[in-house]
Amino acid sequence: MDPIFATVRSIHAIFGREVLAVIIVAAAIYLAFTYRPNMPRSLVTRIFPVLIDIQATLGLIYWLVGIFAGVTYFLSFPFILHPFLGLATAVVAHILMGARTPFARLGRWAGPSALVIILVLVLSNVMIAIMA
């Protein structure tokens, strides 16, 4: 296996399994405690979707390179859901953490409830990757 390919896989795996879940929980707690009505968006809500984008991009690069390198299980059933669910998580993160979030009426709980949905998506995606 190419060392760059292995490095991208390691970064994607560690960031997705360990780091991203902790960041989601910490961001949910932070947003719940620092909520102020009628304030501009927090730096956390602006940066967080970008972290999900980085994770999804690393995974997509790894997946595409693996397909062209002939890794056959990347196209098998449980694993084929992994890249699509990763891209869906990025889209959901942008929608739920954006300026016009559908959860705006929840007030203090808008950020944490959006992050719970994102956490479920991330953890289910991790489980798909582990199963394959």
Side-chain angles (χ1 to χ4, degrees):
M1 183 180 292
D2 186 30
I4 295 174
F5 188 64
T7 303
V8 169
R9 184 205 183 283
S10 296
I11 292 170
H12 177 70
I14 291 169
F15 188 70
R17 276 193 316 252
E18 288 89 13
V19 177
L20 201 55
V22 172
I23 289 174
I24 291 171
V25 172
I29 293 168
Y30 174 80
L31 291 174
F33 282 111
T34 60
Y35 173 77
R36 301 286 182 262
N38 301 324
M39 291 296 291
R41 286 177 56 205
S42 167
L43 181 64
V44 172
T45 59
R46 287 181 285 167
I47 291 179
F48 185 77
V50 176
L51 294 176
I52 301 288
D53 288 344
I54 291 169
Q55 175 68 1
T57 303
L58 282 173
L60 190 60
I61 289 169
Y62 175 70
W63 186 66
L64 288 174
V65 169
I67 287 174
F68 289 117
V71 180
T72 56
Y73 79 90
F74 278 8
L75 295 174
S76 65
F77 171 64
F79 197 81
I80 194 76
L81 298 174
H82 184 75
F84 297 116
L85 190 57
L87 292 175
T89 303
V91 169
V92 167
H94 279 282
I95 291 170
L96 295 182
M97 301 300 285
R100 294 180 302 221
T101 177
F103 292 160
R105 291 185 292 175
L106 294 177
R108 174 179 304 277
W109 302 108
S113 58
L115 287 169
V116 165
I117 293 171
I118 294 168
L119 181 65
V120 168
L121 288 171
V122 167
L123 292 179
S124 62
N125 212 0
V126 168
M127 293 309 294
I128 288 172
I130 289 173
M131 287 184 343

